[in-house]
């Protein structure tokens, strides 16, 4: 798994945010094992840090088999992320 290399040393757990992500990704009754979520907002507010910390926790607990980190700023970067 490759996550962004830059970590925010002053990141404080966002328990409520992580719980909301869990609610979306853990919906009961879903007919597919593939789940996705998009975190969006202005640049520099910590979206990547939230996603990275969330995934780090899930990986440590062996809750996910695969995680795809894609860059979706432009169509070309999104395609390249899936290609990579």
């Amino acid at each position: 798994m490759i996550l962004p290399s830059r970590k925010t040393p002053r990141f404080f757990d966002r328990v409520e945010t992580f719980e909301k992500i869990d609610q979306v990704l853990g919906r009961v009754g879903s007919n597919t094992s593939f789940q996705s979520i998009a975190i969006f907002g202005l640049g520099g507010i910590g979206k990547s840090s939230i996603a990275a910390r969330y995934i780090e926790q899930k990986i440590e607990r062996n809750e996910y088999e695969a995680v795809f980190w894609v860059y979706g700023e432009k169509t070309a970067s999104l395609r390249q992320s899936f290609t990579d």
Side-chain angles (χ1 to χ4, degrees), residues 18-38 54 58 64:
F18 291 165
E19 288 172 354
K20 288 179 184 177
I21 295 171
D22 280 335
Q23 288 173 356
V24 171
L25 295 179
R27 288 193 177 131
V28 177
S30 175
N31 58 358
T32 179
S33 60
F34 177 79
Q35 299 287 328
S36 64
I37 190 168
Y54 179 83
K58 296 298 181 179
Y64 289 150

Side-chain angles (χ1 to χ4, degrees), residues 1-68:
M1 177 178 71
I2 300 172
L3 292 175
S5 58
R6 193 180 80 201
K7 290 192 178 188
T8 305
R10 297 182 308 165
F11 182 86
F12 298 96
D13 285 332
R14 310 265 181 99
V15 176
E16 295 97 20
T17 303
F18 291 165
E19 288 172 354
K20 288 179 184 177
I21 295 171
D22 280 335
Q23 288 173 356
V24 171
L25 295 179
R27 288 193 177 131
V28 177
S30 175
N31 58 358
T32 179
S33 60
F34 177 79
Q35 299 287 328
S36 64
I37 190 168
I39 301 173
F40 62 94
L42 297 173
I45 62 171
K47 299 176 298 292
S48 295
S49 296
I50 289 170
R53 291 294 172 106
Y54 179 83
I55 291 304
E56 286 170 3
Q57 289 179 3
K58 296 298 181 179
I59 295 293
E60 287 173 3
R61 296 177 192 152
N62 294 319
E63 293 184 33
Y64 289 150
E65 293 178 22
V67 175
F68 296 94

